Structure formats: structure tokens, C-alpha cells
């Protein structure tokens, strides 16, 4: 299928002439090759055999993301899906028409790379086992830099598979799981999860959908208010069995197919599609259930607990998506500022512009470190590491909370670096700004995630202590880390953990967001310090040491707004960090100790 793009490729490469004296963008570049930070961290967190196998696949996706996928995403954003409630004979078929660009983006994600299934079956991309999270989410990170909207249906299929594989009976395994474990789109079942209702968004216990036990199946009646991927072949839902207790304890989880085993259409319909601020390429709608056939998933009395496992996986995916969008935002700002001339020089050479770029780079790199750390720990947890499982319980919430909050200001700052063209829909900036907002809502608002961190991960699980122990061990594991930075980072980790402990003891929920922010910044400072020292000691790029110092200075240290700051370190560090050249360990240490 040949789809004409709405945009034309800009000249690429060092020194390419800008068309019409307008700064170029990331289109036409290989997103993997452009991202030295991602490549460096994969050498630290990804096992050697897995990394060597996946490297050419990441390179291939990076090339596709910067070219064909980028074109398709721009086109699909301008041609959103359309709901056709009935067919020409008046039957309530309720099908959704997508632009052909959407289908081709699906083929790239699900067919060529198997992003929905690679963690659940061997053989995807010729890897002999299910692909571990550290590698899988690297694909997510690259894909989302071009197309964000479709990643929601991909993630819904991925996490839905995880739930159905774990809790589904033989009927569900044979009829639905097996239809999802394929990269052949002609027979693939796509999944969705319909949880939100008018009275029950974050307060899931207010779900009103009723489930009636019919022996070999259940019938669901009610309304689901915000349903992404509403035309999916199979959906996971929460509903309250007749006579069950009120609140979350009375909820069960169900699998609802679009087409019943006898080939007939199930008894639910898409009432309308949502007119959303962003994620325009992907359909979200309202679902009316009128005795729809469904099958219980796992223990009907344990639905909320099962759902939370899916939510935690989705929150990790959202963190990675935010990290990816921030990377695209920063890269766009970097390219624009290098190629944009003002007052006789490149914008990127101006001190104030460099300071603004640092405000984009620091949260972008923090999110990258958190992706690598959480994904590697999740893989270890899935392999049976109990301590890693405890760390993931906290780190996932921190990641989702802070990366999704950092994404909108990074997107807005990126627009400023391009100037007026950053506001024009011909460029990707407006879409990045729109799409960045949804991370604040999906899978829990900032308040909900902050409360989960404080009341559950910290107060109930004590995961902050397990996190601290791991970070302390990393800080002490390398002699390449300057003692002054090690001490400062270690102290910040200690203070953040003590804050979390005290606030949890007091039960002061008003401090939940402060606790989450403090733990995130302290964690990322420690990770960056360890990463920079380890890479530098190997003879590689030690620039993450400078980033760790910037997190300490700008995100963990109080400042007097009326004081004149000493910006000497920031200026030296910015010049090094904005360069494509690696920073040797000795140079990084010199800058830190000057």
C-alpha cells in the first residue's frame, strides 16, 4: 500500500542547507543512531547477547521511525478515525474507519516488530524466548518518538495478553490468547480494556456495570465512558456481579469478545467517538453494554487485584512513552537551535538558549535512566528476584508520576526553541504538546499516582528502603565516581527516603506529590552518577556525571529566587552536553571538582 505523506522530507546531515532558510527537523534521521544516550544505557542495562541480537532491529526501527513512520503519523493525525454506527442494511455493526496510514503504522508495530506479543511468545525478531522488558521498551521508546497514539492499542494488547495468559482458563487461552500470539495481522485479535465509567474514573469502586451469571458465560449491562481502541476484537472489563459487595471488593474482571463463538456480533455498541485534545490517530469511544456476553477472568471475587497488575504494567509503558516524547522534543529543539540563525549566530551557541536546552535535556535524561532501571528490574522480578519486584513496585509509580508531569513543559519548551514555526501544524511540535497531556490522566492522575506511591509502595510495602539499598550499593560499586558527588547524591537519597518514611508515618496525603518528586529526583541523580562513572571507567562517555550534578543543583537544592546564581558549572556543562563528542571521565571529573 502506497500512502502519500502530508509532509516532505527535509534535508538531513551535517551542514545541509535549510530549505528557504528555515531550520530543519528530525525528519529523515535515524532516531536510534541520533540517540547516543540510549545506546550507552543499553550497554549497561541490557545483557550482551540480547543487546547484540536486537541492535540491528533497533537500528531498523530508528530508521523507519525517522522516515516512513514519521510521515504516516503526521498523516494519521490529520485524518482521525470515523465511526459508522450501522451498515447500509440498518444493522448495528458499529465499525470504525481509519485512514490507510493507521493500518500501515499497525503493520509496522504489530506485524514487522511484534510489539504486542514479543514479551509473551518466543521467536519474535528471531529471539528464542519472550523478549525481556529492557529490550521491548527500547522498541516502544523508538516507535513513540514518531507515533504516540497507536502505542495505546499496542499496550492494551500487550497488557491484556499478560492478564489473560496468567488468569484465563482453557477456554480463554484457546479462543483469545492464541489469537493474539501472532504477528500475522490477518488473523490477529487486538485487545482493549474498558474500565472507566461516568461515576468511576479514579474511584474504580463506583463501577456500575452489572454482571449476571448465566452458567457457561456472564452477561454484562451498563456503560463504559472512556474506551480506547473501542473496535478491538476482545476487551477486558470490570463489572459487579449481581449481589456482590459495593466498592472495589465486589468487582470481577471479564473478557468480552466482539464476535461470539457462533459468529454473531456481541450485544454492545459504540455510542460515539470522543473528540479528544490529542492522540487523534487512535479512536476512543463510549460503549453501551446490553446483556453482552463475557467470560470471567480468574477469580470473580478478585478482579480489582488482578486489574492492578495490569495497571502497573500500563504505568510503566506510560513512563516510557513520556520519556520517548521528551526525547523527540529535545531532539527537535536541538536540531532547530543548531540550524536556526539569529543575530549573526546559531541559536544553540547563545548562552541563554543553552540554558533553556538544559531545562529540556535534564528531565529527558532522567526519564531515560528510569526507563532502563525499571525495565531491567522488572525483568529480574519476572525471573524470580523478590527484591527487584519490591523496587519495581515503587519505581514504576515514581516513573509514571514524574515523567508524565515533566513531559508537557518539555514539549512547550521545545516549541519555543523553534520559534513561530513551533506553533505550526506542518511541524510536529503542536502534536507533541497535545499528546503530552494525556499522560497526566491515563492510568491515574498525578494525585492518584502520588497516593499510590505514599500509601501503598512506601507505607505498606516499604519499597523505599529496598530502593535505597540498591542505589547505595551502586554508588559504592565504582571508584570512578568522585567522592564529593557520591556523598552529595547519597545524602539526597537518604533525605528523600527519610522524607517518605516520615510522611507515610504521619499519614499526610497532602505531601504525596512532594514525596514522589523527591524520590524520583534522588533516584535519577544516583542512577546517572553510577551510569556516568561506569561508562567513563570503560573509556566511554561520562557525561551522565554532569547530568547527575544538574539534577542535584536544579531539582533537589533550594534556591533563593532573588539571589544571583553562580552559573559557571552550568555553562561549562552545557557546552559539553550539547556537543556530539563524548565527555571523557577525566574531563567530567575536572568540571565537577573545579
Amino acid at each position: 500500500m502506497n500512502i502519500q505523506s502530508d509532509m516532505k522530507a527535509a534535508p538531513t546531515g551535517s551542514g545541509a542547507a535549510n530549505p528557504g532558510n528555515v531550520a530543519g527537523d528530525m525528519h529523515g534521521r535515524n532516531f536510534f543512531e541520533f540517540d547516543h544516550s540510549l545506546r550507552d544505557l543499553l550497554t549497561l542495562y541490557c545483557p550482551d547477547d540480547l543487546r547484540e541480537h536486537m541492535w540491528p532491529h533497533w537500528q531498523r526501527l530508528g530508521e523507519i521511525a525517522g522516515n516512513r513512520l514519521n510521515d504516516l503519523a503526521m498523516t494519521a493525525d490529520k485524518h482521525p478515525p470515523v465511526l459508522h454506527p450501522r451498515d447500509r442494511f440498518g444493522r448495528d455493526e458499529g465499525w470504525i474507519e481509519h485512514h490507510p496510514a493507521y493500518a500501515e503504522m499497525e503493520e509496522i508495530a504489530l506485524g514487522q516488530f511484534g510489539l504486542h506479543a514479543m514479551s509473551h511468545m518466543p521467536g519474535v525478531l528471531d529471539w528464542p524466548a519472550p523478549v525481556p522488558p529492557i529490550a521491548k521498551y527500547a522498541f516502544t521508546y523508538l516507535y513513540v518518538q514518531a507515533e504516540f497514539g497507536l502505542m495505546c492499542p499496542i499496550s492494551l494488547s500487550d497488557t491484556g495478553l499478560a492478564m489473560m495468559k496468567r488468569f484465563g482458563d482453557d477456554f480463554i487461552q484457546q479462543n483469545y490468547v492464541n489469537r493474539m500470539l501472532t504477528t500475522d495481522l490477518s488473523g490477529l485479535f487486538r485487545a482493549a480494556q474498558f474500565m472507566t465509567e461516568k461515576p468511576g474514573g479514579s474511584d474504580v469502586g463506583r463501577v456500575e456495570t452489572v454482571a449476571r451469571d448465566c452458567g457457561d458465560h456472564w452477561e454484562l449491562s451498563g456503560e463504559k465512558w472512556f474506551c480506547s481502541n473501542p473496535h478491538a476484537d476482545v476487551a477486558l472489563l470490570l463489572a459487579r456481579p449481581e449481589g456482590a459487595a459495593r466498592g472495589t471488593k465486589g468487582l470481577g474482571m471479564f473478557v468480552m469478545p466482539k464476535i461470539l463463538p457462533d459468529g454473531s456480533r456481541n450485544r454492545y455498541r459504540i455510542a460515539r467517538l470522543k473528540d479528544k485534545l490529542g492522540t487523534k490517530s487512535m479512536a476512543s469511544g463510549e460503549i453501551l453494554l446490553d446483556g453482552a456476553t463475557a467470560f470471567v477472568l480468574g477469580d470473580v471475587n478478585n478482579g480489582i487485584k488482578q486489574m492492578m497488575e495490569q495497571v502497573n504494567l500500563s504505568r510503566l509503558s506510560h513512563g516510557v512513552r513520556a520519556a520517548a516524547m521528551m526525547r523527540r522534543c529535545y531532539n527537535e529543539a536541538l536540531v532547530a537551535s543548531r540550524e536556526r540563525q539569529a543575530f549573526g549566530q546559531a541559536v544553540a551557541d547563545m548562552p541563554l538558549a543553552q540554558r533553556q536546552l538544559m531545562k529540556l535535556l535534564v528531565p529527558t535524561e532522567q526519564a531515560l535512566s528510569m526507563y532502563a532501571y525499571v525495565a531491567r528490574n522488572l525483568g529480574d522480578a519476572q525471573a524470580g528476584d523478590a527484591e527487584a519486584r519490591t523496587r519495581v513496585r515503587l519505581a514504576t509509580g515514581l516513573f509514571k508520576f514524574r515523567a508524565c508531569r515533566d513531559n508537557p513543559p518539555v514539549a512547550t519548551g521545545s516549541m519555543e526553541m523553534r520559534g513561530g514555526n513551533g506553533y505550526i501544524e506542518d511541524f510536529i511540535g503542536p502534536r507533541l504538546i497535545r499528546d503530552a497531556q494525556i499522560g497526566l490522566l491515563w492510568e491515574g492522575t498525578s494525585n492518584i499516582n502520588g497516593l499510590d506511591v505514599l500509601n501503598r509502595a512506601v507505607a505498606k510495602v516499604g519499597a523505599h528502603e529496598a530502593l535505597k539499598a540498591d542505589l547505595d550499593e551502586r554508588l559504592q560499586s565504582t571508584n570512578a565516581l568522585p567522592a564529593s558527588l557520591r556523598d552529595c547524591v547519597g545524602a539526597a537519597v537518604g533525605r528523600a527516603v527519610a522524607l517518605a518514611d516520615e510522611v507515610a508515618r504521619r499519614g499526610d496525603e497532602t505531601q504525596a506529590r512532594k514525596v514522589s518528586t523527591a524520590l524520583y529526583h534522588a533516584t535519577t541523580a544516583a542512577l546517572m552518577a553510577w551510569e556516568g562513572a561506569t561508562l567513563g571507567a570503560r573509556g566511554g562517555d561520562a557525561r551522565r556525571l554532569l547530568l547527575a550534578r544538574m539534577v542535584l543543583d536544579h531539582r533537589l537544592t533550594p534556591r533563593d529566587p532573588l539571589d544571583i546564581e553562580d552559573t559557571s558549572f552550568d555553562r561549562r556543562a552545557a557546552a559539553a552536553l550539547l556537543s556530539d563528542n563524548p565527555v571523557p571521565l577525566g574531563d567530567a571529573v575536572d568540571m565537577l571538582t573545579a
Side-chain angles (χ1 to χ4, degrees), residues 58-132:
W58 291 323
Q59 287 179 313
R60 183 165 66 94
L61 181 55
E63 181 68 19
I64 294 171
N67 289 276
R68 185 60 176 167
L69 183 60
N70 191 77
D71 288 348
L72 296 168
M74 295 293 284
T75 300
D77 182 65
K78 293 176 172 61
H79 299 87
V82 176
L83 172 64
H84 298 274
R86 312 184 92 189
D87 68 8
R88 66 183 184 274
F89 300 108
R91 293 174 296 193
D92 294 328
E93 293 296 325
W95 61 282
I96 294 174
E97 178 184 2
H98 287 95
H99 190 276
Y102 186 89
E104 189 172 340
M105 291 194 300
E106 273 196 321
E107 194 279 328
I108 292 170
L110 308 177
Q112 293 187 36
F113 289 93
L115 299 186
H116 66 296
M118 62 168 51
S119 286
H120 307 288
M121 58 185 275
V124 176
L125 300 177
D126 296 323
W127 185 248
V131 176

Side-chain angles (χ1 to χ4, degrees), residues 285-305:
E286 300 164 15
I287 301 290
L288 298 178
L289 307 162
D290 184 19
T293 296
F295 306 96
V296 69
L297 183 62
D299 181 356
V300 74
N301 299 309
N302 207 25
I304 191 66
K305 184 175 180 181

Side-chain angles (χ1 to χ4, degrees), residues 118-394:
M118 62 168 51
S119 286
H120 307 288
M121 58 185 275
V124 176
L125 300 177
D126 296 323
W127 185 248
V131 176
I134 183 62
K136 177 183 77 171
Y137 287 113
F139 287 104
T140 298
Y141 183 82
L142 292 167
Y143 190 93
V144 169
Q145 288 182 52
E147 163 59 12
F148 175 78
L150 187 60
M151 188 48 64
C152 177
I154 296 168
S155 178
L156 292 173
S157 292
D158 178 17
T159 58
L161 253 174
M163 294 299 97
M164 285 188 278
K165 282 183 65 181
R166 179 167 181 183
F167 299 112
D169 59 17
D170 289 343
F171 176 83
I172 290 174
Q173 301 292 336
Q174 294 169 12
N175 288 275
Y176 304 117
V177 170
N178 287 342
R179 295 292 298 273
M180 297 173 70
L181 292 174
T182 179
T183 57
D184 179 1
L185 270 61
S186 65
L188 172 66
F189 268 28
R190 298 156 176 82
Q193 291 151 34
F194 304 157
M195 305 296 179
T196 304
E197 300 190 5
K198 288 179 180 177
S202 297
D203 187 0
V204 180
R206 297 184 64 192
V207 162
E208 295 177 339
T209 297
V210 174
R212 184 166 68 90
D213 190 352
C214 298
D216 62 346
H217 69 278
W218 293 68
E219 291 185 352
L220 308 181
S221 299
E223 180 176 2
K224 294 296 181 178
W225 182 242
F226 201 104
C227 305
S228 294
N229 206 28
H231 57 299
D233 302 285
V234 61
L236 274 62
L237 305 87
L238 287 177
R240 194 179 310 281
E242 290 180 326
R246 299 183 64 83
T248 57
K249 293 183 179 179
L251 295 175
M253 182 175 280
F254 299 87
V255 173
M256 183 182 73
K258 180 168 65 177
I259 304 300
L260 298 176
D262 65 3
S264 64
R265 180 68 181 260
N266 206 348
R267 293 184 299 278
Y268 70 87
R269 66 184 178 89
I270 305 170
R272 64 167 179 163
L273 297 186
K274 301 286 194 180
D275 186 7
K276 299 172 293 182
L277 173 66
T279 64
K280 296 285 189 178
S281 62
M282 184 268 299
S284 298
E286 300 164 15
I287 301 290
L288 298 178
L289 307 162
D290 184 19
T293 296
F295 306 96
V296 69
L297 183 62
D299 181 356
V300 74
N301 299 309
N302 207 25
I304 191 66
K305 184 175 180 181
Q306 294 170 187
M307 187 202 75
M308 287 309 300
E309 293 194 25
Q310 172 269 326
V311 166
N312 285 330
L313 290 173
S314 294
R315 285 175 176 170
L316 171 53
S317 178
H318 269 289
V320 176
R321 285 179 247 176
M325 282 196 285
M326 282 192 278
R327 177 63 64 187
R328 180 67 187 268
C329 290
Y330 170 75
N331 285 347
E332 289 291 336
L334 181 64
V335 169
S337 62
R338 284 176 172 175
E339 297 187 3
R340 186 179 170 203
Q341 295 287 318
F343 310 108
Q345 62 179 320
V347 170
D349 294 334
M350 298 176 177
L352 187 55
Q354 291 184 350
R355 181 178 175 87
Q356 293 304 110
L357 286 169
M358 289 301 99
K359 291 184 178 181
L360 309 182
L361 179 61
V362 170
T364 297
E365 297 288 359
Q366 286 181 276
L368 180 65
S369 289
M370 281 299 281
Y371 136 65
Y373 182 74
V374 179
R376 179 58 191 262
N377 273 272
L378 176 60
D380 293 342
Q382 292 172 344
D385 186 331
E387 286 297 307
R389 182 177 180 84
T390 301
R391 292 192 294 269
V392 166
R393 181 63 185 86
L394 173 59

